[in-house]
Amino acid sequence: MKVMKFGGTSVGSPARIKSVAELITAPCSQRNLVVLSAMSGTTNTLVEISDYLHKGNREGAKETIGRLKSLYAGHIAALYESEKYKKEAEQYINGCFSLISNITKQLFTSVEEKIILAQGELISTHMMYYYLLEKGVKAVLLPALDFMRTDANGEPDSDAIKARLLPLIEAEADAELFITQGFICRNFHNEVDNLLRGGSDYTASLVGAAVQASEIQIWTDIDGMHNNDPRVVEGTSPVRHLNFDEAAELGYFGAKILHPTCILPAKYANIPVRLLNTMEPDAPGTTIDNNLDPGTIKAVAAKDNITAIKIKSSRMLLAHGFLRKVFEIFESYHTSIDMICTSEVGVSMSIDNTKHLSEIVTDLKKYGTVTVDTDMCIVCVVGDMDWENLGFESRAMDALKDIPVRMVSYGGSNYNISFLVKSSDKRRTLCALSRFLFADTGRS
């Protein structure tokens, strides 16, 4: 069994739904399980409705509900040919909007908000389900709220997911195809909730691990992961193979196609993940697995909106406990550190969350002199960067010989070297690294 996930843009219109239907019903020797996101734009509108309700503006919420309902009425008219399935889709979707409308009359909390947000995935999967039935496909809808669970800490409960999902699949011996919702779940208290990080990609990875899928496919309108940012560097090409750890580095440092968290279940279950393009379904995409290509640099990625903080203190020299005190300050304000470099009398760190920057700086000044550099960017070189591989770090440094580098992080990971530069130097940095690192590979 393959697990195939399609994002919001892939099912963003009746025409796109029909295209996805062709992909998932193509002749194959196995029954596949399809994970769908909400149609593009729907979740944002549901968030807008929730925001009105949080502010007590019921009229604003009702007006927005009406606009979204009218939009879906048009989708239904364009998607179905038979009155039978058109009516079934209308009845289900009208029921979803009735539920949302009824919530506007109640005391509105985060519990009700999550129920509203879940409607996007419920609507998209039912629209696809009825369309497949209309086309004569023996499809079965597996409600994610029946098997997707999180534990008391809000983390996915893999054992519970597997124990609930497998019997649902086994009970449908005649099914040709399974459809389920991404993103949504029930929490430890059996309330409607969502997976947050990674959303529908996370669902696909969790489901794939539960059913021991032969492959997890993530379908988007982007052609895999690129060896550089195609919006910044011209002539980039997709990376055809990545190790899971390399993919996690790229996901964290700017590659928007895949959230680092969502690939962990697939990594631990040793299930390959393939990133594919719905606009070019025959393209090979990017395969991610546990195999490593020795001695190969794969890609360069960038992360924007970084702030660097340096604390210098003679008290740090030969002193124990100094770094612990510094880290405790960041921990107290729930602020993660991206990069860190130390010397005998100083430590530099970078953060991407500046919500509590002023408080952090104030507390750090108790221990030394603090300087802050804003509007920075982390550029990360990803590949087999084991320290015994000769020459990689020198090639990267040579590429940046004419660009001021605020920090360098090397050795903390076997899969990346990171450089902190000014945001204004981002393009120059990416282009220089691309020329030096990929000139001999044909992937500039």
Side-chain angles (χ1 to χ4, degrees):
M1 175 180 286
K2 291 181 181 178
V3 173
M4 308 169 73
K5 176 263 174 180
F6 293 87
T9 56
S10 296
V11 291
S13 68
R16 298 298 289 272
I17 290 175
K18 292 178 182 180
S19 296
V20 168
E22 289 184 11
L23 282 172
I24 63 179
T25 57
C28 63
S29 59
Q30 56 187 324
R31 300 189 299 171
N32 294 328
L33 195 157
V34 178
V35 177
L36 298 182
S37 299
M39 294 180 73
S40 58
T42 298
T43 299
N44 288 341
T45 305
L46 295 174
V47 169
E48 182 183 358
I49 292 167
S50 299
D51 192 43
Y52 278 126
L53 292 174
H54 275 303
K55 292 178 169 61
N57 185 350
R58 288 184 169 84
E59 290 305 314
K62 289 178 181 178
E63 183 179 333
T64 309
I65 292 169
R67 288 201 307 270
L68 188 60
K69 185 177 180 180
S70 296
L71 179 65
Y72 273 99
H75 290 333
I76 292 171
L79 184 59
Y80 304 100
E81 296 177 2
S82 71
E83 290 300 319
K84 178 181 186 298
Y85 290 107
K86 186 178 294 186
K87 184 175 181 180
E88 290 200 33
E90 284 177 345
Q91 288 178 340
Y92 182 81
I93 293 174
N94 287 341
C96 291
F97 282 107
S98 293
L99 173 64
I100 296 172
S101 296
N102 287 334
I103 288 176
T104 66
K105 304 172 185 177
Q106 306 170 8
L107 176 66
F108 194 74
T109 69
S110 61
V111 174
E112 287 75 28
E113 179 179 10
K114 289 172 181 176
I115 292 173
I116 287 179
L117 294 182
Q119 302 311 303
E121 279 72 19
L122 292 170
I123 290 174
S124 66
T125 49
H126 278 79
M127 288 180 67
M128 177 65 80
Y129 172 63
Y130 292 130
Y131 180 73
L132 292 172
L133 293 182
E134 184 180 67
K135 295 302 177 183
V137 180
K138 294 180 180 178
V140 171
L141 191 61
L142 300 175
L145 297 180
D146 286 353
F147 65 85
M148 190 60 64
R149 291 291 187 273
T150 54
D151 59 23
N153 297 316
E155 297 297 327
D157 188 336
S158 298
D159 292 335
I161 293 169
K162 184 175 181 179
R164 293 169 184 269
L165 176 58
L166 294 184
L168 295 176
I169 293 175
E170 291 167 0
E172 301 291 347
D174 296 331
E176 297 175 344
L177 191 69
F178 297 99
I179 306 288
T180 194
Q181 298 87 23
F183 180 60
I184 65 175
C185 64
R186 288 192 184 275
N187 60 28
F188 186 70
H189 305 289
N190 205 38
E191 300 164 335
V192 175
D193 211 325
N194 54 67
L195 296 174
L196 295 177
R197 300 165 308 209
S200 296
D201 290 348
Y202 206 1
T203 300
S205 189
L206 290 163
V207 167
V211 303
Q212 279 298 297
S214 59
E215 183 177 80
I216 298 167
Q217 298 180 349
I218 307 295
W219 290 81
T220 72
D221 56 357
I222 302 173
D223 189 13
M225 283 192 173
H226 283 246
N227 63 346
N228 219 317
D229 189 337
R231 298 165 299 179
V232 179
V233 181
E234 295 180 357
T236 65
S237 60
V239 180
R240 295 308 179 194
H241 176 257
L242 288 167
N243 175 273
F244 278 118
D245 293 310
E246 293 170 340
E249 296 282 3
L250 281 176
Y252 183 74
F253 285 100
K256 306 299 184 185
I257 193 171
L258 195 63
H259 193 284
T261 304
C262 78
I263 61 177
L264 289 178
K267 175 185 176 181
Y268 297 145
N270 198 29
I271 298 171
V273 175
R274 201 144 62 103
L275 310 181
L276 295 162
N277 185 357
T278 52
M279 307 303 291
E280 298 180 35
D282 294 328
T286 300
T287 298
I288 306 170
D289 55 31
N290 280 314
N291 300 318
L292 183 66
D293 297 320
T296 304
I297 296 177
K298 295 294 183 64
V300 179
K303 187 176 183 182
D304 298 314
N305 302 315
I306 300 298
T307 296
I309 304 171
K310 179 168 71 175
I311 175 171
K312 182 180 178 181
S313 174
S314 57
R315 283 182 286 172
M316 184 178 172
L317 184 62
L318 302 178
H320 60 81
F322 184 88
L323 288 178
R324 174 181 57 80
K325 294 174 184 177
V326 169
F327 293 150
E328 284 177 346
I329 291 173
F330 288 88
E331 181 184 5
S332 67
Y333 292 106
H334 304 287
T335 301
S336 299
I337 296 172
D338 289 312
M339 293 175 61
I340 181 168
C341 296
T342 64
S343 72
E344 289 81 358
V345 293
V347 55
S348 288
M349 297 148 290
S350 71
I351 60 174
D352 61 2
N353 177 5
T354 57
K355 181 178 180 181
H356 298 289
L357 178 61
S358 60
E359 296 98 319
I360 290 171
V361 170
T362 297
D363 288 354
L364 288 175
K365 285 180 177 179
K366 299 174 185 177
Y367 302 106
T369 304
V370 180
T371 57
V372 177
D373 294 307
T374 59
D375 199 22
M376 306 294 286
C377 170
I378 296 176
V379 177
C380 177
V381 179
V382 173
D384 178 21
M385 310 301 291
D386 188 274
W387 67 277
E388 293 184 337
N389 293 336
L390 299 178
F392 283 172
E393 70 281 3
S394 62
R395 286 170 64 190
M397 293 299 293
D398 284 346
L400 305 185
K401 62 184 179 181
D402 296 321
I403 299 171
V405 177
R406 170 69 173 76
M407 290 170 62
V408 180
S409 176
Y410 175 56
S413 164
N414 286 337
Y415 304 99
N416 87 62
I417 303 176
S418 296
F419 302 92
L420 186 67
V421 300
K422 296 177 182 178
S423 293
S424 57
D425 288 326
K426 172 183 173 179
R427 181 181 178 84
R428 277 207 303 155
T429 303
L430 291 173
C431 291
L433 287 169
S434 183
R435 286 195 307 272
F436 271 71
L437 301 178
F438 301 127
D440 59 347
T441 66
R443 296 189 292 117
S444 60

